[in-house]
Amino acid sequence: MKIIIAGAGEVGFHLAKLLSFESQDITLIDTSRDNLTYADTHLDIRTIKGDATSISILKDAQVKHVDMLISVTSSEATNITCCVLAKQLGAKRTIARISNTEFLENKEEIGFTSFGIDELISPEALAAREIALLLNQSAFNDSYEFENGALTMIGLSLSRNALFVGKTVKEAANIFPDLNFVPIAIQRYGTQYTLIPRGDTQFKEGDQVNFVTLKRGVENLYKLTGKTKHAIKNVMILGGSKIGKKTAIDLCRNNFHVKLVESDKEKAYDLADELPNALIIHGDGRNVELLEEENVHDMDAFIAVTGNSETNIMSCLVAKSKSVKKTISLVENMDYYQLSHSIGIDTLINKKLLAANNIFRYVRKGEVVAMTKINNMNAELLEFIVKPNSQVCNKKIKNLDFPRSAIIGGIIRDGEGIIALGDFKITRGDRIVVCCLPRSIKKVEKLFL
């Protein structure tokens, strides 16, 4: 695919990096020479210095031949303008990064597609949604929903008292023979190695395991893994950033008791006006005494979303030491992101990765409607719609030429989730959730073309 990315900031560079690894034809546009120089020396892409809303710059980038233009500059107005111009100049698909979540909430009413914007992406809204989902599945450290929860991917670390430990996948399945869940990826403790489990794969203590489950399978997983579901009601948020504010709004709407700590006095007053149902505290969240005064030990969850990764991590560790059940930290540094299971924080989230995941599904071949990269694992989770002429249509799962480094996690048919075995016959319109390692993605995509 020929792709133009406007904006070489954190999200743009990360996207360019991921897409260049997949041998996509990438052109990166930015006004900053420093940003472009760094991208040019680290990635196999074309760079153009200039304003992405300039028609001459877009023509220089050969916009009329591109399959996709992704505008992810820090300016919402620039992104919208760039997409509108690109569409008029011949770009097949356009995606704009926005920060005003009202645009998302009123997308259909405004009709952005009518003036040239195919998709709107808000990293802040994606992060807030991820946080809400993690709070709902309180005992798990990773979570992703397909089709409003018809199937859910959840991740957890296996403790010593988990009934799975020491058993193979086949033996574990026999404990609950009605099979409401299936393991799709395992990372061994202390390694960066991701494996796709088979029937003879053994679960070990400390394994990070990701499952695809039906709604009724979640309770079984709690029992099997020895996890306890904590009712989360009291939440403390550190940082009144866009993510912090959006998270607070969503949680208050769902009747959570929210305390938000913000170090900037003027911003704290503004937040108090905008969030009447939350308690806004002006102070430095790194101050342990302040956290103790605000009864951090009574909180069910602590969410750190300031602009500083180190502050977020350290404050979450303090909260964890005060017996807070669930801690979630926003990090910008991808190196930190790989360490979430070893530094004592329940979940690290990265808005660059969330935005990239959301955009990636438009790059994948086949009818991909959802996609996510699994936290800390070298694996992707894809949701395909089965077309009548695809290779999988009207075939049983056991008869598919499916690579060993990929697995079907579940199937959604007529809005209902199904954990399918080998004799299940795939039909037109089925939504198939597949987990695969990078080396098998192209082969899996061909099956659904």
Side-chain angles (χ1 to χ4, degrees):
M1 288 179 78
K2 291 179 72 67
I3 300 170
I4 293 174
I5 299 174
E10 290 178 338
V11 175
F13 177 79
H14 186 64
L15 263 174
K17 181 179 175 181
L18 292 175
L19 293 170
S20 68
F21 286 164
E22 304 220 337
S23 303
Q24 307 290 351
D25 183 355
I26 308 297
T27 300
L28 184 63
I29 303 173
D30 199 275
T31 54
S32 167
R33 189 177 300 279
D34 288 343
N35 285 353
L36 291 176
T37 301
Y38 185 80
D40 207 18
T41 54
H42 285 76
L43 307 174
D44 183 21
I45 61 173
R46 182 190 178 203
T47 59
I48 298 175
K49 183 182 181 299
D51 183 350
T53 61
S54 162
I55 293 173
S56 60
I57 291 288
L58 289 172
K59 284 183 175 178
D60 184 28
Q62 299 183 321
V63 68
K64 68 179 179 181
H65 299 301
V66 302
D67 300 293
M68 188 182 303
L69 178 137
I70 306 164
S71 192
V72 286
T73 73
S74 57
S75 166
E76 187 173 69
T78 297
N79 296 335
I80 290 172
T81 304
C82 179
C83 286
V84 171
L85 291 173
K87 197 72 170 184
Q88 294 301 316
L89 292 169
K92 291 191 180 79
R93 181 182 283 275
T94 61
I95 300 173
R97 174 189 178 178
I98 51 111
S99 54
N100 185 348
T101 53
E102 280 188 332
F103 289 162
L104 286 175
E105 292 157 8
N106 299 281
K107 187 165 65 171
E108 303 305 322
E109 185 181 344
I110 301 300
F112 285 93
T113 52
S114 63
F115 53 87
I117 302 173
D118 295 307
E119 292 294 334
L120 297 172
I121 299 291
S122 168
E124 293 79 15
L126 290 169
R129 189 174 70 188
E130 178 86 351
I131 289 167
L133 193 56
L134 287 165
L135 293 182
N136 186 44
Q137 304 289 2
S138 61
F140 306 124
N141 53 36
D142 194 8
S143 193
Y144 188 87
E145 284 189 346
F146 294 92
E147 306 306 313
N148 298 314
L151 291 173
T152 302
M153 184 275 291
I154 54 178
L156 51 88
S157 295
L158 292 186
S159 56
R160 187 179 301 172
N161 60 341
L163 298 180
F164 278 166
V165 172
K167 292 182 171 59
T168 63
V169 170
K170 192 172 182 180
E171 289 168 343
N174 289 334
I175 298 173
F176 282 98
D178 51 346
L179 201 68
N180 294 320
F181 55 86
V182 62
I184 56 167
I186 296 175
Q187 184 169 301
R188 296 296 188 201
Y189 179 74
T191 74
Q192 293 294 314
Y193 179 66
T194 302
L195 61 94
I196 302 298
R198 297 293 166 188
D200 59 354
T201 303
Q202 189 179 64
F203 294 106
K204 297 181 180 180
E205 181 184 347
D207 281 353
Q208 170 66 22
V209 187
N210 284 62
F211 297 87
V212 168
T213 178
L214 307 179
K215 286 178 181 175
R216 61 182 179 272
V218 174
E219 292 304 317
N220 289 346
L221 279 171
Y222 276 116
K223 293 173 188 173
L224 273 170
T225 57
K227 301 285 182 182
T228 304
K229 184 170 185 177
H230 302 291
I232 290 182
K233 210 65 189 167
N234 301 311
V235 180
M236 183 177 285
I237 300 172
L238 179 62
S241 60
K242 288 174 183 174
I243 296 174
K245 179 180 167 184
K246 172 67 175 160
T247 300
I249 290 171
D250 292 348
L251 294 180
C252 287
R253 196 178 290 152
N254 288 299
N255 300 315
F256 285 81
H257 302 138
V258 177
K259 288 184 178 182
L260 191 152
V261 182
E262 170 55 48
S263 58
D264 184 280
K265 190 174 183 179
E266 190 174 337
K267 198 173 187 179
Y269 277 115
D270 289 341
L271 287 167
D273 291 335
E274 296 174 66
L275 300 167
N277 296 322
L279 175 61
I280 309 301
I281 300 153
H282 170 236
D284 187 345
R286 295 171 298 182
N287 187 327
V288 178
E289 287 184 8
L290 174 71
L291 295 180
E292 288 178 340
E293 284 173 15
E294 296 302 332
N295 301 319
V296 68
H297 53 273
D298 291 334
M299 295 295 118
D300 301 310
F302 185 91
I303 303 163
V305 287
T306 74
N308 186 289
S309 299
E310 289 79 7
T311 296
N312 295 339
I313 289 171
M314 292 308 296
S315 56
C316 277
L317 291 175
V318 170
K320 204 69 181 173
S321 73
K322 304 296 180 186
S323 302
V324 176
K325 301 181 193 85
K326 185 82 172 177
T327 54
I328 301 171
S329 172
L330 176 73
V331 294
E332 296 299 330
N333 189 319
M334 294 298 288
D335 294 330
Y336 292 159
Y337 189 72
Q338 300 296 331
L339 301 172
S340 63
H341 303 311
S342 59
I343 61 178
I345 296 171
D346 294 310
T347 308
L348 299 182
I349 58 172
N350 180 285
K351 64 182 181 183
K352 292 181 288 187
L353 198 56
L354 290 170
N357 286 349
N358 211 275
I359 292 168
F360 244 68
R361 70 179 191 269
Y362 303 111
V363 179
R364 291 275 170 248
K365 293 177 181 142
E367 188 98 20
V368 178
V369 290
M371 178 263 170
T372 185
K373 286 182 178 289
I374 300 178
N375 284 359
N376 299 318
M377 291 195 190
N378 190 29
E380 291 187 15
L381 206 53
L382 303 157
E383 181 187 354
F384 293 94
I385 295 179
V386 176
K387 294 187 282 192
N389 57 343
S390 66
Q391 293 181 41
V392 301
C393 193
N394 297 320
K395 286 188 179 177
K396 291 184 177 181
I397 290 175
K398 65 182 179 183
N399 296 330
L400 298 177
D401 183 21
F402 224 68
R404 284 192 63 82
S405 53
I407 187 171
I408 292 178
I411 293 167
I412 299 169
R413 178 177 287 175
D414 300 325
E416 290 293 318
I418 303 164
I419 301 298
L421 298 176
D423 286 325
F424 185 89
K425 187 177 181 180
I426 295 170
T427 59
R428 174 184 180 178
D430 283 348
R431 292 171 176 254
I432 315 292
V433 174
V434 179
C435 180
C436 49
L437 302 185
R439 64 176 179 269
S440 60
I441 287 172
K442 287 184 179 177
K443 187 170 183 180
V444 170
E445 285 175 340
K446 285 179 183 176
L447 293 172
F448 291 91
L449 285 174

